[in-house]
Amino acid sequence: MNRAPILFLGIFVTLAFSWTGIVLTNQISFGKLTPYVSEDEGKTWPQQLPGSAARGKDVYREMGCVYCHTQQVRRPGYGVDIERNWGERQSVARDYIREQRVYLGTMRTGPDLRNVGARYAGQGGIDWHYKHLYDPVLTSPGSIMQPYAFLFDYRPVVGQPSDKAIDRLFTPEEKRKYGIDKPGYELVPSQRAEDLVHYLLSLNDTPYTYPEEARRVYVAPPPEKKEGEAKPAEAAPAAEVKADAQTGEQKEEQK
């Protein structure tokens, strides 16, 4: 008996159900999401990445940052992301609708970066990122992140010193340690380093809250029952006092 048609039909049905559950269901749920327009501010969220930050996203991928960092803030009760100041709210699907490639990540060897642009903002944030990229232990003692000193150029000063030079961020001891203390030289971030920092500064979901997030009511999951955990002590049964019908002597009986 030729069972090839039955085998083919079984494979087709399996793939069809998988495609429906994984692709079609998500498309129905999230495919119609559009950017949110704030009537108060007249802005659209999330905003499109500017050119330098868009290029920096490619550098983020090339440097392998996605292997050690996530970009998703978990809801209260399912992690301590908000308590760690990694964000003021959980990440939702609308946060990612402008991204063709989403770097949610799978491992947190380092902190979540979804809102790193809020934690380190302005010129102070730029300086922090540059120094952190050059060698992470300079800003985060004990960090196991690899240094990205190759993203910076140590070069002779030609004419006026560059206004982008970052050697001013280092102490004399640090300059001697890294060999960047030669007179007439300066340490300048490359274009790739600038783009990467601009991308990190753009990661900021703090300024806005979507309607679906404002209506959300968080319900903490039930505590996990650990094996071998002692059960709560039960209340002792109440004693009932009865009198003997013949002697009249009172006796206590446990219920």
Side-chain angles (χ1 to χ4, degrees), residues 25-44:
T25 303
N26 288 325
Q27 176 63 25
I28 294 173
S29 301
F30 306 115
K32 295 182 179 180
L33 285 177
T34 58
Y36 172 67
V37 179
S38 174
E39 297 180 357
D40 297 334
E41 301 181 13
K43 294 182 179 180
T44 302

Side-chain angles (χ1 to χ4, degrees), residues 62-78:
E62 294 167 3
M63 295 297 104
C65 305
V66 68
Y67 296 114
C68 296
H69 296 278
T70 57
Q71 290 188 27
Q72 49 179 319
V73 179
R74 294 174 294 184
R75 70 179 65 181
Y78 290 82

Side-chain angles (χ1 to χ4, degrees), residues 177-193:
K177 176 182 177 181
Y178 294 100
I180 54 174
D181 58 343
K182 294 181 181 180
Y185 278 73
E186 61 184 359
L187 185 65
V188 181
S190 65
Q191 185 62 56
R192 298 175 75 200

Side-chain angles (χ1 to χ4, degrees), residues 22-136:
I22 297 175
V23 179
L24 186 59
T25 303
N26 288 325
Q27 176 63 25
I28 294 173
S29 301
F30 306 115
K32 295 182 179 180
L33 285 177
T34 58
Y36 172 67
V37 179
S38 174
E39 297 180 357
D40 297 334
E41 301 181 13
K43 294 182 179 180
T44 302
W45 306 100
Q47 295 184 331
Q48 192 73 38
L49 286 179
S52 180
R55 295 192 302 269
K57 187 175 182 179
D58 293 334
V59 180
Y60 182 91
R61 183 192 72 249
E62 294 167 3
M63 295 297 104
C65 305
V66 68
Y67 296 114
C68 296
H69 296 278
T70 57
Q71 290 188 27
Q72 49 179 319
V73 179
R74 294 174 294 184
R75 70 179 65 181
Y78 290 82
V80 292
D81 297 3
I82 295 178
E83 288 81 351
R84 288 177 173 176
N85 197 33
W86 288 352
E88 295 183 0
R89 61 171 178 81
Q90 80 164 86
S91 300
V92 295
R94 200 186 297 261
D95 288 321
Y96 308 96
I97 60 175
R98 290 191 183 273
E99 302 183 31
Q100 293 183 347
R101 182 173 294 178
V102 180
Y103 298 137
L104 294 178
T106 58
M107 184 180 297
R108 282 179 172 171
T109 305
D112 184 87
L113 299 181
R114 186 63 199 174
N115 286 281
V116 69
R119 300 199 295 271
Y120 303 100
Q123 186 59 48
I126 294 175
D127 293 344
W128 187 92
H129 280 301
Y130 280 145
K131 198 170 183 180
H132 185 72
L133 287 173
Y134 191 82
D135 193 347

Side-chain angles (χ1 to χ4, degrees), residues 196-217:
L196 178 56
V197 169
H198 289 163
Y199 172 64
L200 294 173
L201 292 175
S202 73
L203 296 175
N204 184 3
D205 293 339
T206 302
Y208 55 92
T209 299
Y210 297 125
E212 61 265 33
E213 178 63 17
R215 294 192 299 266
R216 190 183 301 275
V217 177

